[in-house]
Amino acid sequence: MSKVDLETKIKRAIENNKLSLKKLGERNWYKYFIRITELVWARNFHDGYQIEVYTEKYGEHLGTIEI
């Protein structure tokens, strides 16, 4: 799965309330392992969230998405 497809899937899941950004930290989500970190303007120059996506089984990094 390409990074664009993965980003689209995650954004759609957030819009449909299938993925909550209020629950920070690491967890399994469907067939992925994700880490959600809140971004604060004072350190990152914008507010939002960073979502790191890994394969569940092997831990291979698939992409990082900033929202």
Side-chain angles (χ1 to χ4, degrees):
M1 178 176 282
S2 72
K3 184 176 179 181
V4 174
D5 293 339
L6 186 61
E7 186 172 347
T8 303
K9 182 175 184 174
I10 288 181
K11 285 182 179 181
R12 193 172 297 145
I14 292 168
E15 290 172 3
N16 295 326
N17 294 322
K18 304 268 184 196
L19 178 62
S20 174
L21 295 177
K22 293 181 181 183
K23 186 176 176 186
L24 301 176
E26 301 174 340
R27 64 180 184 260
N28 289 321
W29 181 70
Y30 291 100
K31 63 179 183 174
Y32 303 106
F33 179 77
I34 61 171
R35 178 182 300 131
I36 298 177
T37 308
E38 185 174 16
L39 299 176
V40 181
W41 182 85
R43 292 188 309 197
N44 303 296
F45 303 115
H46 71 280
D47 292 334
Y49 297 91
Q50 177 178 329
I51 304 171
E52 298 170 79
V53 183
Y54 300 89
T55 58
E56 182 179 43
K57 192 170 183 179
Y58 300 109
E60 178 185 347
H61 184 256
L62 298 175
T64 301
I65 300 156
E66 293 183 357
I67 297 176

